[in-house]
Amino acid sequence: MIFSVIVPVYNVEKYLNECINSILSQDFLDYELILVNDGSTDNSGDICDEYAKKDDRIKTIHKKNGGLSSARNAGTNIAQGEYIVYLDSDDYICDNSFLTKLAQKTGLDVDVIFYGYKKYFEHEKTWGKDVCQYPLLKDKEPSNALSSLLKADMYDGCAWNKAIRREFLLQNGIMFEPGMISEDSEWFLNVIVSAKTYDSVNEAFIVYRQREGSISHAPKLKSLTDNLLMLEKWSNRLKEKNFAIDFRDVLSSVLSRYYVNMLILYTRFPNNQVEKYFQRVKSLKFLLKYSLTKRAITVKRFCSIFGLRITLIFLHVLNKLRGKS
């Protein structure tokens, strides 16, 4: 079996049929679909069971609510495919040849295969202007592959736009950390410090649905503190781990990208909620010197001229203006 497609399910009865049907419509048939009902209180669990009755490739897990990480881990634990594909239950695949094209990249046992996506804004019923399509990786060696993605502004840590070799995950004990917000970023950092080879498919296959009220649109303070803890942890690992110099620099550039995202998140909360974290945020400013992405380079230059506090004010104003546009 080539693929295990793992779909965590929690109160998504409105979207679940579209998600599952997009998988069952694939013209490549050598896969299993694992639906993990994470304690849904709507009809999502029943929908999963109905599909499982009709297709023996579908496995359904019903478990107590434990969050996205717990659900993905549960699916990973029973997966049998050579590669794992994570798909969120409010998203869907927009190309029936997705798994066929992905399978063409699996023959050489590549650890990580990137593929693209496009955004759909549900409230406005509009498509995002930019489509994420990863460039074909000419150099599959980790440092060079990651560096090229960063320079092209095409790096992200999402789990749902990558196929990961299952044996690689098992050998390195890589799972999602339960209870963490932005768990994908932490998970993918663990992936990139162990992965030996990368590849990509230069097409957009996933429709990434933007919903009002989702975590990305309604951040909690825990999202900020989790990201801060992640950056502190990995900054320390840079010092402790015996990484090759070129890989340490690339990993530092990845953290620089995450640091800028964290600064933007910081500005989305009232100052009286986040001021107590300012010194910790400031202590990580050194990551900016490793900036490779356009956004990180811009923030680095602005910060070097005006300082961190003025930079945070600038980012806050910019976010306000973007929100009104």
Side-chain angles (χ1 to χ4, degrees):
M1 185 185 300
I2 304 299
F3 297 111
S4 293
V5 183
I6 297 174
V7 181
V9 176
Y10 179 70
N11 289 355
V12 284
E13 60 182 4
K14 180 179 178 181
Y15 310 105
L16 190 53
N17 286 297
E18 186 172 30
C19 175
I20 296 175
N21 289 337
S22 74
I23 301 166
L24 298 181
S25 298
Q26 292 297 301
D27 53 28
F28 185 89
L29 302 179
D30 191 15
Y31 69 88
E32 64 178 354
L33 170 57
I34 301 174
L35 302 172
V36 185
N37 176 32
D38 190 39
S40 296
T41 57
D42 64 1
N43 292 319
S44 296
D46 293 335
I47 294 172
C48 292
D49 287 338
E50 286 302 313
Y51 275 99
K53 290 176 184 177
K54 299 175 184 177
D55 194 319
D56 58 12
R57 292 173 300 177
I58 300 176
K59 300 176 183 176
T60 298
I61 299 173
H62 295 281
K63 61 182 289 295
K64 182 180 178 180
N65 179 251
L68 182 59
S69 292
S70 173
R72 284 176 174 165
N73 289 342
T76 303
N77 286 334
I78 68 165
Q80 298 296 313
E82 294 178 25
Y83 281 81
I84 291 180
V85 172
Y86 297 105
L87 181 64
D88 288 353
S89 52
D90 54 352
D91 299 336
Y92 62 94
I93 302 167
C94 58
D95 186 333
N96 291 349
S97 64
F98 165 54
L99 291 181
T100 295
K101 293 174 180 176
L102 199 56
Q104 294 169 0
K105 298 286 186 176
T106 63
L108 298 177
D109 291 333
V110 179
D111 291 331
V112 182
I113 306 170
F114 297 89
Y115 44 87
Y117 61 91
K118 52 188 176 181
K119 292 182 179 181
Y120 177 69
F121 294 87
E122 182 182 44
H123 184 65
E124 297 90 356
K125 293 183 170 33
T126 58
W127 294 93
K129 295 179 181 179
D130 298 323
V131 176
C132 171
Q133 290 184 238
Y134 285 94
L136 294 174
L137 297 176
K138 297 179 181 178
D139 190 336
K140 297 173 175 56
E141 186 274 332
S143 295
N144 295 331
L146 292 170
S147 180
S148 66
L149 291 175
L150 285 162
K151 289 175 180 177
D153 265 348
M154 295 302 297
Y155 173 93
D156 67 61
C158 299
W160 46 261
N161 63 342
K162 300 165 185 69
I164 310 289
R165 192 165 60 87
R166 182 173 64 90
E167 191 63 27
F168 159 78
L169 291 176
L170 295 177
Q171 287 174 348
N172 291 282
I174 299 173
M175 302 292 271
F176 294 90
E177 185 171 331
M180 182 180 185
I181 298 179
S182 300
E183 64 286 322
D184 286 23
S185 300
E186 168 78 10
W187 171 83
F188 196 56
L189 284 168
N190 283 306
V191 168
I192 65 177
V193 298
S194 300
K196 299 293 187 280
T197 49
Y198 295 87
D199 208 338
S200 63
V201 182
N202 184 226
E203 293 185 53
F205 296 116
I206 306 300
V207 174
Y208 178 30
R209 195 189 304 270
Q210 306 291 287
R211 293 194 287 145
E212 285 193 334
S214 66
I215 292 174
S216 59
H217 287 88
K220 298 177 181 179
L221 192 58
K222 188 178 188 311
S223 180
L224 174 66
T225 56
D226 279 0
N227 275 277
L228 188 53
L229 284 168
M230 178 188 71
L231 285 166
E232 290 169 337
K233 168 186 171 181
W234 282 90
S235 295
N236 288 329
R237 285 193 69 178
L238 283 173
K239 303 170 188 174
E240 298 166 2
K241 277 278 188 178
N242 188 27
F243 294 121
I245 293 175
D246 58 345
F247 185 77
R248 185 188 294 114
D249 288 345
V250 171
L251 184 55
S252 298
S253 297
V254 171
L255 295 180
S256 175
R257 181 188 182 280
Y258 287 148
Y259 178 70
V260 170
N261 290 345
M262 191 264 291
L263 292 182
I264 295 170
L265 182 60
Y266 183 99
T267 67
R268 297 178 69 180
F269 297 95
N271 192 59
N272 62 355
Q273 290 187 24
V274 296
E275 175 61 28
K276 60 186 174 182
Y277 303 113
F278 177 78
Q279 289 303 321
R280 291 170 63 189
V281 171
K282 186 178 180 180
S283 71
L284 294 164
K285 191 177 71 169
F286 74 92
L287 291 170
L288 289 175
K289 69 181 179 181
Y290 299 100
S291 300
L292 282 180
T293 62
K294 293 177 182 178
R295 176 190 278 179
I297 290 170
T298 300
V299 171
K300 170 189 171 183
R301 290 172 178 169
F302 198 94
C303 196
S304 66
I305 297 171
F306 298 104
L308 182 57
R309 285 199 181 274
I310 299 299
T311 300
L312 289 169
I313 294 172
F314 169 75
L315 291 173
H316 176 73
V317 172
L318 193 61
N319 279 334
K320 286 286 187 181
L321 292 174
R322 285 179 174 172
K324 292 178 181 178
S325 62

